[in-house]
Amino acid sequence: MAGMALCVGNGTSRSAAKLAYCCKGGRGILNSRLCIFSERPSNTVVFSVGAGGFCRATGVRFASRLAWGRTVDARFRNNTLVAAGAAMVAGVIAGFCHFQKAEMASRIAKDIEGERAILEKCKEFMSAPVTDIEVLQQRKEDMSTRMEMLIMETQAAFCRALEEVDGGKFKVDRWQRKEGGGGISCVLQDGKVFEKAGVNVSVVYGSLTEEAAKQMRSRGKVLKGKDGKLPFRAMGVSSVIHPHNPHIPTVHFNYRYFEIEEEDGSKQWWFGGGTDLTPVYINQDDAAHFHGTLKEACDKHHAQYYPDFKKWCDRYFYVRHRDETRGIGGIFFDDLDGPSQEEAFGFVRSCAQTVVPCYVPIVRKHLSDSFTAAEKEWQQVRRGRYVEFNLVYDRGVKFGLATPGSRIESILMSLPLTARWEYMHEPPKGSREAEMLEVLRNPKDWV
C-alpha cells in the first residue's frame, strides 16, 4: 500500500491534530488517499477513499483508482471488477483501521499518563513550577521540561527532609524575572537545627550578555550568536545549609542544565553540578559515608566519574588566596554534554537523588552533640572562608551577578547568617582545629 496517505483522529480536534499519522510512498496496488476520522459521539468511523460513492452497508465512502489507471465506479458494467475493487479497498480499510485504532489508543493512553504524571508530581512540590503546568505537559518529552521536573522534585525532597529534622517550616518565595523566567526560593532561618537553610530553583531564559558568553567561551565553548545575541535557557537547583551546631557540617549542592540556540537554529546543551561537604571538625566516618554515597551514584554510570569528579571538586572549591580547599569536597563537574543527552541526564538524576541520603544521616547523628564557645568561634572563622570563596571564585554566583534581572537575594542566599574574620588567625598546633586545617591544605581520599 505504498501509494496511500492515512490520517487518523479520535473525535477531538486536539487529539486529531496531535495523533495524525501520514504515510506516503510510491505506486502500489492502490494509488489513493484515505482519511479516517471518528468525530461522532458514538465513535462511528467514517472512511473516505478519494472522492466518490458511499457504501451504505459498511458505512464506507470510497472510490479508488487501480494501479493501471482504471476507475472503479458503480456505473461500470463489469460488476466483478467493481466487487473485487470494493473488497480490496474494504480489506485495506479494515486492516489500517485495526492497526491505527490500536496505535491511537496506545498514544492517547501514553499522553494521558504523561500529563497526569506531571500534574500529580506538581502537587508534591514546594510551589507550582516556574513554567506553566500546561506548557510542561505539552512539552513533556523536552529535556528542559524533564530537568525542571527533576529540580523541583529535588527541592521538595530536600526541604521536607530538613523540616522533619528541624521542626520548622521553609518560607516559600516565588519571584519573576522580567527578562524571562523566574524562580522559587525556600529559606528556613533561625530554626532549631539550622541557622540558615536555603534551597533554590531557578528557570531563566533570554539572551546571554557578552560578559556571560565570554566566560563560557573561555571554557572552550564555541558559540555563534545572531546579531550579537545568544538565546539561552538555564535552570537548576542549588542549596547551602548552615547548621547551628559546629559538629554538623555545612553542605552545598547544585545541579543545572544550560541550552543555547545558535545562529543556524541548532542548540548546544550541557549539564553541570555537584555536591560537597564543609565540616568545621573532621570526622572520618562522616566523610566516608558522604563520599561513599556519591561514589555509589557515580559508579552506576561510569567507573571514572567518581575519581575524576572528586579531583575536579577539590580543584574547584579551592580558596587560592588562602591555599586551602573550602571543605572536604565531594563531586563536581561542568560542561557535561555526553555520551548522550539521555545518559547525561540519567547521571545528573542519580546525583540529585543522593542529596538526602548523603547528608541527613550525618545531621541526625550529631543533633545532640554539645559544643563550646571556642568551637562555635572556630565555626565562625571557617564560615568566613566560605564567604570568601563564594564571592571571589564561585562560577554560579559570578554568572548570576552578570545576568540582567537576576535576584540578588537568591544569589547571595548561600552566605551564612553569621561569620567572623579574625586578623592573622592560626589554630594551636596539635588541636582539632589544626587537624581540620591540615586536611583542607592537603585533600585526601575518603573511600
Side-chain angles (χ1 to χ4, degrees), residues 127-435:
S127 171
V130 176
T131 303
D132 187 80
I133 293 177
E134 289 188 5
V135 175
L136 294 175
Q137 289 175 326
Q138 292 167 7
R139 303 175 182 173
K140 56 184 176 294
E141 300 301 328
D142 289 0
M143 183 52 68
S144 60
T145 293
R146 297 171 66 192
M147 187 62 182
E148 184 168 351
M149 294 297 290
L150 175 62
I151 62 179
M152 292 296 298
E153 289 171 15
T154 304
Q155 181 188 52
F158 199 55
C159 286
R160 306 283 188 222
L162 297 185
E163 285 180 341
E164 186 177 344
V165 170
D166 187 274
K169 291 292 182 183
F170 277 86
K171 176 183 178 181
V172 180
D173 185 16
R174 290 182 64 91
W175 53 273
Q176 290 186 326
R177 176 176 175 268
K178 64 179 182 179
E179 291 82 1
I184 301 144
S185 296
C186 296
V187 179
L188 192 161
Q189 195 164 281
D190 285 324
K192 294 178 181 178
V193 177
F194 305 111
E195 187 174 297
K196 187 179 181 185
V199 192
N200 280 351
V201 157
S202 63
V203 179
V204 297
Y205 51 87
S207 293
L208 277 178
T209 64
E210 290 184 4
E211 183 178 352
K214 184 178 179 181
Q215 288 183 20
M216 292 179 183
R217 289 192 178 99
S218 69
R219 304 202 305 272
K221 291 291 179 186
V222 179
L223 305 173
K224 299 178 181 179
K226 185 176 182 179
D227 299 326
K229 295 182 179 180
L230 280 165
F232 80 97
R233 190 174 189 85
M235 59 192 66
V237 56
S238 61
S239 178
V240 179
I241 310 300
H242 294 290
H244 286 293
N245 194 319
H247 297 295
I248 301 177
T250 286
V251 74
H252 158 260
F253 70 82
N254 173 282
Y255 292 99
R256 56 192 178 275
Y257 173 70
F258 213 97
E259 201 174 71
I260 285 182
E261 183 175 339
E262 296 193 273
E263 184 178 12
D264 61 359
S266 62
K267 290 183 179 179
Q268 285 202 37
W269 56 266
W270 60 91
F271 295 90
T275 306
D276 65 283
L277 197 69
T278 305
V280 174
Y281 290 97
I282 198 64
N283 183 295
Q284 300 284 343
D285 292 339
D286 292 349
H289 166 79
F290 184 82
H291 279 265
T293 305
L294 292 174
K295 183 179 185 301
E296 184 179 347
C298 291
D299 288 349
K300 294 177 183 177
H301 300 271
H302 198 290
Q304 276 302 119
Y305 276 177
Y306 174 75
D308 288 350
F309 296 159
K310 193 269 183 188
K311 291 177 183 177
W312 197 342
C313 186
D314 290 337
R315 291 195 304 268
Y316 179 77
F317 292 104
Y318 180 67
V319 187
R320 291 194 294 272
H321 60 271
R322 297 285 186 180
D323 193 25
E324 62 189 41
T325 59
R326 191 176 73 175
I328 63 168
I331 59 171
F332 177 83
F333 58 92
D334 207 354
D335 302 323
L336 184 67
D337 55 7
S340 69
Q341 191 176 52
E342 189 64 32
E343 289 172 296
F345 174 71
F347 169 63
V348 170
R349 180 173 54 204
S350 293
C351 293
Q353 290 172 346
T354 68
V355 295
V356 171
C358 76
Y359 180 63
V360 173
I362 296 175
V363 175
R364 291 189 179 279
K365 176 182 173 181
H366 296 288
L367 278 176
S368 301
D369 288 4
S370 60
F371 57 89
T372 65
E375 290 171 333
K376 185 67 178 178
E377 183 178 304
W378 174 241
Q379 180 195 52
Q380 298 293 296
V381 172
R382 295 314 310 165
R383 282 182 177 176
R385 301 289 198 270
Y386 200 97
V387 171
E388 290 174 21
F389 175 85
N390 280 27
L391 294 183
V392 177
Y393 302 113
D394 187 80
R395 189 178 296 168
V397 172
K398 292 169 73 173
F399 175 78
L401 295 176
T403 303
S406 295
R407 189 169 187 264
I408 300 302
E409 286 295 329
S410 296
I411 295 171
L412 300 183
M413 178 213 68
S414 62
L415 303 183
L417 195 60
T418 59
R420 185 183 181 98
W421 285 267
E422 286 190 19
Y423 183 69
M424 299 292 289
H425 184 277
E426 191 71 25
K429 291 183 178 180
S431 65
R432 293 190 65 200
E433 291 79 9
E435 178 190 13

Side-chain angles (χ1 to χ4, degrees), residues 13-137:
S13 59
R14 179 170 179 262
S15 295
K18 180 185 292 187
L19 301 177
Y21 169 80
C22 291
C23 140
K24 297 182 179 179
R27 287 182 176 274
I29 295 176
L30 292 178
N31 187 10
S32 60
R33 194 167 74 180
L34 170 64
C35 297
I36 304 176
F37 289 98
S38 171
E39 295 287 352
R40 304 178 180 179
S42 63
N43 288 325
T44 302
V45 180
V46 178
F47 304 85
S48 174
V49 185
F54 178 74
C55 177
R56 298 183 184 276
T58 60
V60 177
R61 182 183 302 275
F62 68 91
S64 177
R65 180 174 298 277
L66 299 182
W68 56 87
R70 296 186 63 180
T71 303
V72 178
D73 194 281
R75 293 171 296 177
F76 283 169
R77 296 178 180 179
N78 191 340
N79 292 331
T80 301
L81 180 61
V82 173
M88 186 182 298
V89 173
V92 170
I93 290 170
F96 270 108
C97 176
H98 177 77
F99 173 76
Q100 287 301 323
K101 284 173 70 177
E103 183 177 344
M104 181 174 67
S106 175
R107 290 185 181 184
I108 292 173
K110 185 177 180 180
D111 282 351
I112 293 174
E113 181 182 357
E115 292 177 5
R116 184 183 294 120
I118 287 178
L119 186 60
E120 290 302 313
K121 286 181 180 179
C122 288
K123 294 178 182 178
E124 302 298 321
F125 297 161
M126 299 298 287
S127 171
V130 176
T131 303
D132 187 80
I133 293 177
E134 289 188 5
V135 175
L136 294 175
Q137 289 175 326

